[in-house]
Amino acid sequence: MTAVITLPSSLDEPNFESVILQLAAVPDDAKVLVDARHCRFATPYGLTALLCLAQSRLEKPDFAPPEEETTASYWTRASFFKYADELYNMRGTVPRTRAGGDSDVLLEVTPVAKNEDVHAIVTRIQEKATQILTNTLDLEPRATMGFSMTLSEACSNIIEHAGRGGWVMVQRYNWSKRRVGRDVVQIAVTDAGVGFRHSLETSRARALADRWDDAIALENGVMNAVSRLSDPGRGQGLKGIRGWVHRFDGKLTVRSGKARIAPIIPDWDDDLPRQDSLPEFPGAQLQVIIPKRVVDA
Amino acid sequence: MTHIDVQSALAQSLSAPYHDLVTRRTGLAVRTLIERQLSGLADGSVAFLDFSHIGVLDCSCADEFVAKLMIPLTAEHPSRDGYVVLHGVSDGHVDSIEQVLHAHGLALVVLFPDGQARLVGAVTDVERRLWEIVMLTGGIAVEGVAAKTGIAPEEALSLLNSLARRRLVRRDDDCYSPLGAVA
């Protein structure tokens, strides 16, 4: 019996929860078919989380690609199918050729599995991102280094703590019709590894805690720079990410296990600072959104 | 003074020619190489670590490389008698370096592109003031510092010794001098 997981038409960070909810009703060892036929839009978070979904299944899932040609073509240009082909049994055809890339994709779906992957990602993103960050988002040149640091720290966390490889993708959007009313850049860094709760199981924070769950582990790891290692220099990476996102009026969300926190919610968005008791999804999924700078009059 | 090109150490640490100091593993590899170079220097020598050709420096790498390079040098019983000065650093490098130094209660002398040396990291206002007096004078005894600041000689002595232990000034008998001033 194959369980069908239907993707929403818009696969972004909030809507991926509907995918996790459907998965929660399916036993870990059950065969699943991820049905993307009616999906029209996917963000970096959505695409990379789909790869995590496949990694988390005991049996290789099936995948029905988007029917709309432009959607499928974009997913190809974003390199989604390059990796999905290995993780899913494709049930249908997908565009094979990358038609000249996409200028808004700053970094295609890229695996993060070893140290040199992080170096390659930082090198590639600097080549492509500097112009967009400074010319399109009006960010100061110093912001480019913070942007690269955010990527490197988030990717390093996968290598250091996740216990298995993950994914990263970066994309620019024109959000002039949304509440923020300007261009944004989205970063998604996701994995299907052990997650914050398990990673911090041996930490001092865990030893001192009366209660221990995904939300408490997330808050310790993201907000309090707690690491599983007692070295005072540990935990600096996420602290640096929070500082950079806050400084550039961005938004940060992190999901792990059954919890999700939004440690930085800017004025241009609404969100819940902390959500408990969500349906379980393995690993950790981080999203950063940085908007175009508002120039003072 | 000894010049150490950090980019060269980075190139030796990686199989591909990258220019960014990112990840703990890279920081550890670069530190190991540089510690080996430092161990070959004479006691009391000053090593200038040149970041001119480094792109991004993230906090994890800065912690593993810069902070952990300084921890054994500033211990009560230091691993060796030597000094480290950073130069060729950008504003972005300073952000990362400052954050990790604060986490460990460390500080470093950084030579900025304008030619000015400044303290970066965990230093109090009074420590910074005394350090600047040492820099301006090129070398001064406790009594001179006490006279210039109005701080009691015993307190000035304690603060200057702390700066010397933290490898931010050099102590030669009764004189405290800037790093690099004495060959």
Side-chain angles (χ1 to χ4, degrees):
Chain A
M1 187 75 172
T2 299
V4 178
I5 307 295
T6 306
L7 299 191
S9 62
S10 178
L11 188 66
D12 56 9
E13 193 253 355
N15 289 342
F16 196 79
E17 290 301 317
S18 74
V19 178
I20 302 174
L21 192 60
Q22 293 176 69
L23 276 173
V26 180
D28 288 345
D29 57 352
K31 178 82 175 174
V32 299
L33 162 67
V34 174
D35 182 1
R37 286 176 302 154
H38 303 297
C39 190
R40 298 279 184 273
F41 172 80
T43 63
Y45 187 97
L47 292 179
T48 57
L50 279 182
L51 297 176
C52 293
L53 187 165
Q55 287 176 303
S56 71
R57 301 303 300 175
L58 295 175
E59 186 176 348
K60 193 175 185 179
D62 291 347
F63 191 89
E67 286 179 343
E68 193 177 85
E69 197 181 321
T70 52
T71 307
S73 172
Y74 167 75
W75 289 27
T76 297
R77 293 198 307 278
S79 295
F80 171 77
F81 290 119
K82 180 176 175 184
Y83 303 104
D85 261 347
E86 299 164 14
L87 296 169
Y88 286 100
N89 300 309
M90 282 297 155
R91 300 262 296 264
T93 55
V94 296
R96 290 289 152 188
T97 1
R98 298 188 60 204
D102 187 319
S103 61
D104 287 336
V105 179
L106 302 189
L107 183 71
E108 299 87 357
V109 172
T110 304
V112 183
K114 56 187 190 299
N115 192 48
E116 298 226 347
D117 290 343
V118 183
H119 280 274
I121 287 163
V122 170
T123 301
R124 282 181 57 200
I125 199 71
Q126 283 181 97
E127 287 167 0
K128 206 163 177 183
T130 302
Q131 191 183 1
I132 285 180
L133 289 175
T134 52
N135 296 348
T136 307
L137 297 191
D138 287 336
L139 300 181
E140 57 193 69
R142 194 172 179 170
T144 307
M145 187 172 284
F147 184 80
S148 301
M149 275 180 53
T150 292
L151 270 177
S152 70
E153 298 284 11
C155 293
S156 293
N157 279 343
I158 293 178
I159 294 166
E160 294 266 335
H161 306 296
R164 75 189 306 170
W167 311 94
V168 57
M169 183 181 169
V170 185
Q171 164 91 32
R172 183 188 77 96
Y173 291 104
N174 179 338
W175 275 8
S176 58
K177 290 180 182 169
R178 295 203 189 188
R179 181 171 156 191
V180 64
R182 43 200 155 124
D183 284 5
V184 300
V185 166
Q186 278 192 23
I187 300 172
V189 181
T190 65
D191 70 76
V194 299
F196 275 72
R197 180 167 53 84
H198 185 274
S199 177
L200 296 179
E201 200 66 53
T202 56
S203 68
R204 184 170 162 74
R206 166 67 184 101
L208 296 174
D210 293 331
R211 274 181 55 227
W212 188 249
D213 58 25
D214 290 310
I216 294 169
L218 262 180
E219 285 187 340
N220 273 293
V222 179
M223 309 293 287
N224 304 330
V226 169
S227 168
R228 66 191 157 92
L229 302 162
S230 57
D231 179 344
R234 291 279 176 161
Q236 298 297 309
L238 279 167
K239 185 179 175 186
I241 291 174
R242 276 196 293 122
W244 183 75
V245 172
H246 179 72
R247 186 169 164 187
F248 290 97
D249 192 29
K251 180 179 180 183
L252 169 66
T253 60
V254 189
R255 193 196 199 285
S256 185
K258 295 180 177 177
R260 173 187 180 273
I261 62 170
I264 300 177
I265 305 170
D267 291 341
W268 50 261
D269 200 20
D270 290 319
D271 208 334
L272 296 169
R274 167 174 159 165
Q275 290 172 274
D276 294 288
S277 307
L278 296 170
E280 173 108 32
F281 194 66
Q285 297 80 41
L286 175 146
Q287 179 176 259
V288 171
I289 302 175
I290 298 293
K292 179 174 180 170
R293 186 168 67 100
V294 176
V295 181
D296 296 332
Chain B
M1 284 178 240
T2 301
H3 174 269
I4 295 176
D5 183 7
V6 177
Q7 169 59 33
S8 297
L10 177 62
Q12 289 175 60
S13 308
L14 298 169
S15 57
Y18 296 116
H19 297 280
D20 303 301
L21 278 171
V22 294
T23 80
R24 283 196 175 272
R25 290 177 199 198
T26 298
L28 171 63
V30 171
R31 171 164 57 84
T32 303
L33 278 166
I34 288 179
E35 280 175 337
R36 204 172 298 153
Q37 289 179 265
L38 294 179
S39 68
L41 301 180
D43 278 354
S45 55
V46 182
F48 279 75
L49 302 191
D50 183 357
F51 282 71
S52 302
H53 302 107
I54 296 297
V56 175
L57 170 64
D58 74 15
C59 292
S60 297
C61 191
D63 184 68
E64 200 64 48
F65 167 27
V66 181
K68 289 188 176 162
L69 184 71
M70 292 309 296
I71 288 170
L73 292 178
T74 57
E76 194 175 345
H77 302 290
S79 56
R80 56 178 294 275
D81 179 21
Y83 301 86
V84 171
V85 174
L86 308 187
H87 81 109
V89 296
S90 68
D91 290 344
H93 296 154
V94 172
D95 289 344
S96 299
I97 291 166
E98 189 137 47
Q99 183 176 321
V100 301
L101 292 178
H102 271 287
H104 290 277
L106 296 166
L108 265 167
V109 178
V110 177
L111 190 58
F112 283 87
D114 62 4
Q116 294 292 309
R118 287 192 278 277
L119 285 185
V120 168
V123 283
T124 63
D125 289 346
V126 69
E127 285 174 326
R128 191 180 298 278
R129 190 167 155 219
L130 264 60
W131 181 84
E132 285 169 354
I133 288 170
V134 171
M135 293 297 290
L136 285 170
T137 57
I140 190 168
V142 174
E143 295 75 21
V145 170
K148 279 180 178 291
T149 59
I151 295 172
E154 301 77 30
E155 188 185 350
L157 176 66
S158 170
L159 288 165
L160 286 166
N161 282 342
S162 170
L163 290 174
R165 184 186 56 76
R166 299 174 72 194
R167 305 275 154 182
L168 303 174
V169 299
R170 180 198 292 275
R171 181 177 179 178
D172 296 298
D173 297 324
D174 292 337
C175 182
Y176 296 85
S177 51
L179 304 186
V182 180

